[in-house]
């Protein structure tokens, strides 16, 4: 004997009715690459590299300019001191995130190099 969960089927029916009254979302994932390379192994690596390296660069710029501002404040008169963009704790967190992000990017590039080399070795064996 089959038991049908009436609550599950009712919830499914309610969801279908809601979808009939609301248009589908228009969001599409952002991609730097257009065309046939979009979604390819190489294309994904390039997009990931661009995103991560841009984030690392932004973090390092914030860290560096804030460090310079703190150093300048040590020699400045109280009236001429300026607040750094970020505090020491946040700078430390951004530095650690930058280090971890660079490591993840390196590991992914290494993994993809190994995959390409494995594919090349398989092609050579055939």
């Amino acid at each position: 004997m089959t038991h049908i969960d009436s609550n599950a089927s009712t919830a499914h029916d309610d969801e279908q009715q809601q979808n009939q009254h609301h248009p589908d979302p228009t969001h599409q994932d952002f991609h730097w690459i257009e065309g046939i390379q979009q979604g390819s192994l190489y294309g994904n690596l390039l997009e990931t590299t661009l995103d991560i390296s841009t984030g690392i660069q932004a973090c390092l710029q914030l860290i560096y300019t804030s460090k310079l501002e703190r150093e300048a404040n040590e020699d400045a008169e109280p009236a001429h001191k300026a607040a750094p963009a970020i505090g020491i704790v946040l700078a430390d967190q951004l530095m650690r995130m930058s280090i971890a992000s660079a490591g993840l990017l390196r590991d992914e590039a290494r993994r993809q190099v190994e995959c390409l080399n494995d594919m090349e070795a398989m092609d050579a064996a055939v």
Side-chain angles (χ1 to χ4, degrees), residues 18-64:
Q18 283 181 343
N19 287 342
Q20 291 173 356
H21 298 295
H22 299 288
D24 289 335
T26 59
H27 170 76
Q28 294 180 3
D29 288 344
F30 175 80
H31 291 280
W32 290 107
I33 296 175
E34 302 290 331
I36 61 171
Q37 288 298 322
Q38 186 182 76
S40 70
L41 186 66
Y42 184 63
N44 287 341
L45 179 62
L46 288 176
E47 289 182 333
T48 300
T49 300
L50 184 56
D51 287 336
I52 292 174
S53 63
T54 300
I56 291 170
Q57 181 185 25
C59 289
L60 294 176
Q61 286 176 340
L62 285 168
I63 294 164
Y64 182 69

Side-chain angles (χ1 to χ4, degrees), residues 30-31 33 68 83 88 90 95 104 107 110 114 125:
F30 175 80
H31 291 280
I33 296 175
L68 286 178
I88 294 170
L90 183 56
M95 179 61 80
L104 289 171
D107 293 346
R110 183 176 290 144
E114 289 173 3

Side-chain angles (χ1 to χ4, degrees), residues 49-103:
T49 300
L50 184 56
D51 287 336
I52 292 174
S53 63
T54 300
I56 291 170
Q57 181 185 25
C59 289
L60 294 176
Q61 286 176 340
L62 285 168
I63 294 164
Y64 182 69
T65 58
S66 295
K67 180 179 181 277
L68 286 178
E69 196 62 55
R70 277 191 289 284
E71 290 173 358
N73 284 340
E74 289 176 8
D75 297 330
E77 297 294 325
H80 294 101
K81 291 185 178 186
I86 58 175
I88 294 170
V89 172
L90 183 56
D92 181 60
Q93 292 169 343
L94 290 176
M95 179 61 80
R96 289 192 327 252
M97 186 183 69
S98 296
I99 292 167
S101 297

